[in-house]
Every structure is written in C-alpha cells, then in structure tokens.
C-alpha cells in the first residue's frame, strides 16, 4: 500500500474526545466515530499551505472548494448539483435541528428509524418538536439484515408529522440502502407531504460499492427535489471531523431560506482550514480512500469471523455494507450492561441504549489491525469470564 494504516498513533494527551474518555486507564476506546488513522497526506499538505498564509480571518467557501464539491457529487454519486443549492455548515448535528425547525410549528412531529445515531433522537427537542421512532425490521435469527418496515412507517405517521430524518448509509446498522428502498422512502414522504432529510455523512464509506453502491437522495428528480435536504461531509471518510465542516444540498430556495433562518445566531463561523481540507480531500483523496476501504473490508471480515468463532452470545449485523462501525447484538450474553462488562476488561464501546437499542453495542473498527486484534482478545476474555 502507498499509505500507512498500520502504525499505531498515540492520540493520548492531544485533546482527543475519543481517547480522553478513558484517560489514565488501560481501556481501548472503540466508541465515537472517528478513526485512529492519519488523514491523507494531500489534506495535511493543503493545511500546511493555508497555515503558511498566516491570516485566519472570517472565511467563506472559496470557488475552488465549491467546484470540487460539485465535481465530487457528479463523479462519485452521479448527482448533478448546482452551487446555489449548497449551504455550508460547521457540522451536521446542528443541521438536523435546523431541518426540524425549518418546517411546521412547535408541537409538530419528526419521524426517524431506530436504532439510530443518538442526535437523530434528540434534535427535535431543540425546536420543540416531537420525535416518532419507528424500529427497523431485522431477521437476526438468519443473516442479521436490517430493513425498513414500510408498514410500520405508515402506521406511525400522523397529520402533524412534517419531517423524516433518514440515515443512509445507516449508522449504526451498516446498511447501504438499495435504490428500491430509497425510492420507497421518497414515495412515502411525497405521499405524506414530508420534508426528507437524508444524512449521508458515511456515503463514501460503502465497503463493497460494486455490490451495494450508495444511492444518494441528490440523484432523485421530480417533486422530491422541493422537499429534500441532503447532508454531506468529507469528515468521516478522511478523518477530519475535528476541523468541523459539512454541507447541505437544498434545491428548493424557499426551504433553503427557512433552513438557514432556523439556525439563527447559534451557528458559529466555519474555520478557513476546514474549507481547504475538504477541497483537498475531494480533489486528491481518492487513492487514499480506496486503500482505506480495502483496509476496512479486511477489518470488517476479521471482526465478523471473531464474533462468529470467539464471542459466543454476540451477533454482528450482517451484511455489513458501510461505515467502520459494527453493530453488535449482545442480548444473549445475559448481562444487564454489556458495555460495562467490556470496559471492565479494557474495551470502550458505544452503548446501544443511546441508539434506542438496549443490549446492543457499537464498535468502531477504524483503527490499526493491532489495536482491533488486542480489543478482540480482551472481549474474548470478557465473554469467557461469564462462563
């Protein structure tokens, strides 16, 4: 490989959210969704060039960044996006709240599918909305695949529902939804007059794109164009989340204005460094991304094999199509708090209860193989301690 995904980089004492949680302990943090890999050298070089300029005043997206974003959407996802549709943000969690606040009135409801990335369950509160959670259907007894239960969606939607928060690829279950599934969501939203917010921050982390390509909402035309907010960022793929940059594609000018207005004065300025890092990632990061995907495929398969052969009582959601976040069903372990069990044995995972799924855990395998192997050894000892 031309790039290094094996060196263990010491992130302790750097202010890392991921590593600071367990500071002073021997717990390996495999929880929050950032990777332990260095960002692409091309991104780092672009940051050095911008730093060398020496002036860091208030900044706006420069023409090169916008051009790179438009070319990226066309090249990577076959989506024809216009520059005027884009609104740049310091992150996508506030964008979820803004989307809820842009439509309807306080007291309206927001629909989402669970288990789900925790902010999807919380953001409605920011705008005095009500969250309606619809569980994904799963056949865990067979191959563990999770799918959208459209009958349950129809039963849950109400006249007060105004927004559907959709996560594709889905965090945490690892699905890259098919075109038929996304079309089903589009049809559902049109039928019920909903604004469809598609969180696609993991869209460039589809591990087997020839089998399960990412289907971006931005590729859909027709009436849904007036009701879509597509959320994107280079942050997860290129490990630049701490630079705080994201963007939303909103073709409808009226909806875009309402979305921006919903942010009020709460949205901070965006760092000029983040703009240049994002441009470099989209322009020059593809060779690095391909090697990252190869690494993550290997890690996914290594992890899945370990779960099947070494961790009785745990099931991993398969097929795992996207993200570096594995979804583990630990209910058969027979312990009330599986996260505490693994922390006791030196592995820190995300608690499924935060995703509306008690008894599950989310494991971040975006780390060197040596770190993952050590974590699995510790998890095996934890499971063995129950016998």
């Amino acid at each position: 490989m031309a790039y290094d995904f094996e060196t263990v980089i010491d992130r302790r004492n750097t202010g890392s959210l991921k590593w600071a949680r367990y500071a002073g302990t021997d717990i390996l943090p495999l929880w929050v969704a950032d990777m332990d890999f260095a960002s692409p050298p091309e991104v780092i070089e672009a940051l050095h060039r911008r730093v060398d300029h020496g002036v860091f005043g208030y900044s706006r997206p420069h023409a090169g960044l916008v051009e790179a974003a438009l070319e990226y959407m066309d090249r990577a996802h076959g989506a024809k996006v216009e520059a005027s549709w884009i609104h740049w943000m310091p992150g996508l969690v506030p964008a979820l709240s803004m989307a809820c606040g842009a439509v309807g009135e306080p007291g309206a409801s927001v629909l989402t599918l669970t288990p789900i990335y925790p902010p999807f369950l919380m953001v409605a509160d920011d705008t005095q909305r009500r969250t309606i959670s619809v569980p994904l259907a799963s056949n865990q007894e067979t191959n563990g695949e999770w799918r959208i239960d459209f009958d349950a969606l129809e039963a849950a939607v109400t006249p007060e529902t105004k927004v559907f928060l959709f996560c594709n690829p889905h965090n945490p279950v690892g699905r890259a939804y098919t075109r038929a599934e996304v079309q089903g969501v589009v049809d559902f939203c049109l039928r019920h007059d909903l604004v469809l917010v598609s969180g696609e921050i993991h869209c460039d982390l589809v591990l087997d794109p020839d089998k399960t390509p990412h289907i971006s909402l931005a590729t859909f035309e027709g009436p849904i164009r007036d009701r879509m907010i597509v959320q994107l960022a280079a942050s997860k793929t290129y490990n630049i989340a701490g630079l705080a940059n994201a963007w939303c594609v909103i073709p409808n000018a009226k909806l875009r204005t309402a979305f921006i207005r919903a942010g009020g004065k709460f949205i901070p300025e965006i760092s000029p460094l983040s703009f240049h890092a994002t441009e470099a990632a989209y322009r020059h990061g593809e060779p690095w991304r391909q090697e990252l995907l190869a690494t993550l495929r290997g890690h996914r398969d290594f992890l899945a094999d370990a779960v099947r052969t070494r961790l009785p009582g745990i099931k991993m959601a398969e097929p795992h199509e996207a993200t570096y976040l594995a979804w583990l069903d630990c209910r058969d372990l027979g312990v009330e708090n599986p996260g505490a069990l693994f922390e006791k044995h030196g592995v820190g995972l995300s608690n499924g209860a935060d995703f509306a799924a008690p008894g599950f855990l989310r494991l971040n395998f975006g780390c060197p193989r040596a770190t993952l192997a050590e974590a699995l050894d510790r998890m095996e000892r934890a499971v063995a301690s129950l016998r």
Side-chain angles (χ1 to χ4, degrees):
M1 282 190 171
Y3 301 100
D4 180 8
F5 296 99
E6 294 305 324
T7 296
V8 176
I9 300 172
D10 188 353
R11 299 181 63 190
R12 293 169 296 180
N13 303 313
T14 65
S16 163
L17 173 71
K18 182 178 186 179
W19 285 81
R21 169 176 281 192
Y22 299 110
T25 74
D26 186 36
I27 297 174
L28 293 174
L30 302 184
W31 64 288
V32 71
D34 75 18
M35 297 184 288
D36 290 329
F37 305 129
S39 296
E42 296 84 357
V43 170
I44 296 170
E45 290 165 9
L47 288 169
H48 279 299
R49 287 194 298 271
R50 183 61 183 83
V51 167
D52 288 343
H53 181 267
V55 180
F56 309 104
Y58 300 121
S59 299
R60 294 295 177 265
H62 55 279
L65 167 63
V66 176
E67 180 184 78
L70 297 179
E71 290 177 351
Y72 150 77
M73 285 299 287
D74 189 10
R75 178 185 70 249
H77 302 296
K80 306 292 185 181
V81 172
E82 296 182 15
S84 63
W85 298 353
I86 297 176
H87 181 66
W88 294 88
M89 294 282 299
L92 290 182
V93 170
L96 291 169
S97 295
M98 290 164 64
C100 295
V103 187
E105 303 294 333
S109 62
V110 175
L111 198 62
T112 197
L113 301 169
T114 55
I116 192 68
Y117 175 54
F120 278 64
L121 299 169
M122 304 171 185
V123 293
D125 293 344
D126 297 340
T127 51
Q128 299 176 299
R129 268 60 174 176
R130 184 171 65 91
T131 302
I132 300 175
S133 301
V134 177
L136 292 166
S138 82
N139 51 342
Q140 289 293 300
E141 289 71 28
T142 54
N143 66 355
E145 183 177 4
W146 297 74
R147 58 179 178 78
I148 301 168
D149 186 338
F150 286 100
D151 291 338
L153 278 176
E154 292 289 351
V157 69
T158 71
E160 290 73 40
T161 308
K162 302 300 179 184
V163 177
F164 184 14
L165 299 180
F166 183 49
C167 188
N168 181 33
H170 195 101
N171 171 13
V173 306
R175 282 295 318 282
Y177 290 113
T178 66
R179 180 164 291 279
E181 288 172 309
V182 180
Q183 183 67 63
V185 170
V186 166
D187 294 342
F188 171 79
C189 289
L190 290 174
R191 193 159 55 248
H192 294 285
D193 200 26
L194 308 180
V195 167
L196 176 52
V197 181
S198 184
E200 302 185 11
I201 195 170
H202 296 280
C203 65
D204 296 313
L205 291 166
V206 175
L207 302 184
D208 299 293
D210 292 339
K211 297 179 184 177
T212 56
H214 172 66
I215 306 300
S216 176
L217 180 62
T219 63
F220 285 73
E221 299 180 354
I224 196 63
R225 277 279 168 94
D226 287 331
R227 315 194 63 78
M228 70 166 61
I229 299 175
V230 185
Q231 300 184 330
L232 299 149
S235 56
K236 298 298 184 186
T237 303
Y238 298 98
N239 214 27
I240 53 175
L243 293 176
N245 186 279
W247 47 299
C248 294
V249 174
I250 312 173
N252 183 305
K254 184 177 180 180
L255 177 59
R256 190 166 61 250
T257 298
F259 173 85
I260 295 168
R261 186 181 296 123
K265 302 296 184 183
F266 295 102
I267 305 302
E269 294 289 332
I270 304 173
S271 163
L273 297 182
S274 75
F275 289 133
H276 288 268
T278 297
E279 179 187 5
Y282 286 147
R283 288 197 185 279
H284 309 297
E286 185 60 15
W288 184 92
R289 187 180 78 92
Q290 290 299 327
E291 291 195 9
L292 170 70
L293 293 179
T295 299
L296 295 178
R297 280 193 294 271
H299 286 14
R300 173 199 61 189
D301 297 343
F302 178 69
L303 172 60
D305 180 70
V307 170
R308 284 191 297 267
T309 62
R310 298 166 53 193
L311 301 177
I314 299 179
K315 300 173 186 174
M316 176 174 162
E318 296 187 62
H320 182 96
E321 297 164 337
T323 81
Y324 48 78
L325 305 166
W327 189 234
L328 305 179
D329 183 350
C330 302
R331 291 173 295 179
D332 289 346
L333 289 177
V335 296
E336 183 176 350
N337 187 343
L341 169 70
F342 291 116
E343 281 188 355
K344 180 180 177 182
H345 287 82
V347 182
L349 306 173
S350 296
N351 187 346
D354 296 334
F355 300 74
F360 287 78
L361 296 171
R362 193 188 71 175
L363 183 153
N364 178 347
F365 57 87
C367 58
R369 177 66 67 93
T371 302
L372 179 59
E374 174 62 25
L376 289 171
D377 286 346
R378 296 180 182 193
M379 292 177 71
E380 184 175 17
R381 289 194 288 271
V383 171
S385 73
L386 299 175
R387 297 199 290 268

